[in-house]
């Protein structure tokens, strides 16, 4: 008799568990769109700017009222495409997250007014996107890589009251320090004759010369941007789709240092203002000094450092398991009040 009762209990438990799992999956893939045609979570969000209203591309994955993560791509003016690697990892965790092309990027509107390309204007854009996706201080996580890290930190300094957790991947808080590390550390790792040729082209501002990238890709990008032998499809597509006009205006002609509008950007002395849980991610072969990333994790009030020993600037790709496991652990710890 006891055996029959026990078997019945086990059967009921498994049935309930499968039903709950099925219900959870059903909820997760319900996007709540009130249109006849589903668009797989893609939505063009209207953005108000000082020179008019434009639209930015977003794509939502899943439904989780406790965790909404906004991904901020680099560049400026790269695309969400190189961040597609988050899709499998985050969906397995049941996170709600958003891929997003910032204004001026390939899948969003691309206005030509150069006054739009300032950090302050981009910060205001992110706040409008937050409101549009219904995120708030109880569920909103911002994850920025490279320029997206600059944008994430600047956004947090102004709007941390709206954030649950901040993740800064591979971006120091000082552009002059970025430039100094490139000149004094990374440049010296190149063969002298290669560096001399690169510097000669830069001195002549001959950045459109095909030889410039012919030198940088194998000798810098393959060493410090993404170390995978074959670059992932998402990164290749993002590279093809970069808005070079905006990128050059703000960053300069390449990743080898910084010389555009962001050249003097520095908020390192303001990091102590951040009181929200913050994850700083560094990597051994990064274009950014990993020691600086570790220092930043100590300058914020509630910081954690994640080090990727085999990673570069895109450690999300070339040290993927370490990167993703650390990110997921951070989000879960914050969500469960274990941080």
């Amino acid at each position: 008799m006891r055996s029959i009762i026990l078997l019945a209990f086990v059967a009921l438990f498994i049935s309930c568990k499968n039903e709950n799992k099925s219900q959870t999956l059903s909820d997760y893939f319900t996007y709540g769109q009130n249109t006849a045609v589903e668009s797989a979570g893609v939505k063009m969000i209207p953005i108000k700017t000082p020179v008019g209203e434009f639209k930015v591309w977003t794509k939502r994955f899943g439904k989780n009222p406790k965790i909404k993560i906004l991904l901020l791509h680099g560049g400026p003016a790269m695309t969400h495409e190189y961040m597609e690697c988050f899709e499998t990892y985050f969906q397995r965790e049941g996170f709600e997250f958003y891929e997003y092309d910032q204004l001026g990027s390939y899948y969003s509107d691309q206005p030509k007014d150069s006054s739009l390309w300032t950090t302050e204007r981009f910060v205001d854009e992110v706040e409008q996107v937050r409101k549009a996706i219904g995120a708030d201080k109880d569920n909103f996580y911002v994850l920025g890589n490279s320029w997206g890290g600059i944008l994430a930190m600047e956004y947090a300094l102004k709007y941390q009251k709206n954030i649950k957790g901040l993740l800064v991947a591979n971006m120091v808080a000082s552009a002059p320090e970025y430039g100094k590390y490139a000149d004094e550390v990374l440049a010296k790792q190149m063969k002298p004759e290669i560096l001399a040729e690169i510097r000669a082209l830069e001195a002549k501002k001959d950045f459109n010369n095909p030889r410039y990238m012919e030198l940088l890709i194998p000798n810098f990008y393959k060493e410090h941007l993404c170390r995978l032998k074959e670059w992932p499809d998402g990164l290749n597509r993002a590279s093809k789709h970069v808005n070079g006009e905006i990128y050059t205006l703000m960053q300069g002609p390449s990743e080898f240092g910084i010389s555009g509008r962001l050249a003097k950007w520095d908020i390192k002395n303001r990091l102590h203002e951040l009181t929200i849980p913050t994850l700083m991610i560094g990597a051994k072969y990064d274009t950014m000094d990993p020691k600086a990333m570790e220092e930043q994790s100590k300058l914020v009030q509630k910081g954690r450092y994640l080090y990727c020993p085999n990673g570069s600037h895109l450690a999300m790709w070339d040290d993927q398991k370490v990167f993703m496991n650390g990110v997921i652990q951070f989000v879960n710890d914050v969500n469960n009040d274990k941080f």
Side-chain angles (χ1 to χ4, degrees):
M1 185 68 176
R2 287 183 179 178
S3 298
I4 294 173
I5 294 173
L6 179 61
L7 286 171
F9 175 77
V10 171
L12 180 63
F13 175 77
I14 292 173
S15 175
C16 290
K17 187 175 181 181
N18 288 337
E19 185 177 338
N20 289 338
K21 183 177 180 181
S22 177
Q23 183 63 44
T24 300
L25 285 174
S26 176
D27 291 343
Y28 186 76
F29 290 104
T30 299
Y31 291 90
Q33 291 173 288
N34 297 316
T35 57
V37 179
E38 292 194 21
S39 58
V42 172
K43 182 179 180 181
M44 300 297 291
I45 295 177
I47 299 295
K48 294 180 180 179
T49 79
V51 298
E53 185 173 294
F54 305 98
K55 291 183 178 180
V56 296
W57 183 98
T58 64
K59 182 171 182 175
R60 170 185 163 185
F61 291 82
K63 181 181 180 182
N64 186 334
K66 293 183 178 180
I67 299 173
K68 297 175 184 283
I69 305 172
L70 183 65
L71 301 176
L72 303 182
H73 63 70
M78 283 285 281
T79 73
H80 73 279
E81 290 162 304
Y82 81 88
M83 302 186 88
E84 290 172 350
C85 54
F86 287 96
E87 292 177 11
T88 51
Y89 283 89
F90 280 7
Q91 287 187 92
R92 281 197 290 260
E93 293 297 313
F95 296 164
E96 179 178 324
F97 64 101
Y98 295 79
E99 293 174 346
Y100 152 46
D101 263 27
Q102 298 151 28
L103 189 64
S105 295
Y106 188 77
Y107 293 94
S108 295
D109 287 347
Q110 300 173 27
K112 296 299 182 181
D113 193 320
S114 63
S115 68
L116 291 168
W117 317 129
T118 66
T119 303
E120 294 76 17
R121 212 280 314 155
F122 275 110
V123 166
D124 182 62
E125 177 182 319
V126 172
E127 175 63 358
Q128 293 184 60
V129 170
R130 178 195 68 80
K131 292 177 180 177
I133 66 175
D136 57 36
K137 63 180 178 61
D138 296 320
N139 58 24
F140 189 39
Y141 296 79
V142 179
L143 191 163
N145 166 254
S146 192
W147 145 255
I150 291 178
L151 183 53
M153 286 184 277
E154 286 279 13
Y155 177 80
L157 284 171
K158 186 172 182 179
Y159 291 110
Q160 66 177 318
K161 66 181 184 299
N162 298 329
I163 303 178
K164 177 95 171 180
L166 172 67
L167 302 90
V168 179
N170 313 91
M171 188 64 226
V172 293
S174 167
E177 284 191 11
Y178 164 20
K180 185 178 180 181
Y181 187 68
D183 288 339
E184 298 182 1
V185 178
L186 302 183
K188 292 179 180 178
Q189 296 175 16
M190 286 186 183
K191 293 180 180 179
E193 62 273 21
I194 297 294
L195 179 61
E197 191 173 354
I198 291 172
R199 293 307 192 202
L201 289 167
E202 290 177 339
K204 293 187 291 184
K205 299 188 182 299
D206 193 11
F207 303 117
N208 292 324
N209 189 325
R211 181 62 176 161
Y212 187 57
M213 279 299 163
E214 285 176 10
L215 291 166
L216 282 177
I217 289 175
N219 296 288
F220 188 77
Y221 283 60
K222 289 281 188 177
E223 293 292 327
H224 304 292
L225 189 75
C226 181
R227 293 172 64 83
L228 293 179
K229 186 175 182 181
E230 183 177 341
W231 277 8
D233 176 64
L235 176 56
N236 287 330
R237 281 184 281 120
S239 299
K240 290 178 182 177
H241 292 154
V242 63
N243 186 326
E245 185 177 338
I246 298 172
Y247 176 87
T248 303
L249 181 69
M250 295 187 72
Q251 159 73 26
S254 78
E255 295 290 307
F256 191 22
I258 187 165
S259 59
R261 287 181 175 178
L262 293 169
K264 296 182 179 179
W265 175 83
D266 191 332
I267 51 93
K268 188 175 179 180
N269 64 355
R270 294 192 60 198
L271 289 178
H272 70 276
E273 298 174 27
L274 295 179
T275 62
I276 53 175
T278 301
L279 179 68
M280 296 287 181
I281 306 171
K284 181 177 180 179
Y285 302 100
D286 198 354
T287 52
M288 309 295 158
D289 184 357
K291 292 180 180 178
M293 297 301 302
E294 183 175 16
E295 180 188 11
Q296 289 172 194
S297 72
K298 298 173 182 177
L299 292 175
V300 298
Q301 294 187 35
K302 296 179 182 178
R304 177 183 293 178
Y305 179 55
L306 174 62
Y307 178 64
C308 300
N310 296 308
S312 66
H313 197 52
L314 298 181
M316 64 187 71
W317 284 107
D318 52 22
D319 204 357
Q320 192 169 85
K321 288 186 178 180
V322 172
F323 182 100
M324 293 296 182
N325 288 341
V327 165
I328 289 167
Q329 183 69 54
F330 172 80
V331 173
N332 282 328
D333 284 350
V334 174
N335 183 55
N336 296 320
D337 296 321
K338 292 181 178 179
F339 185 82

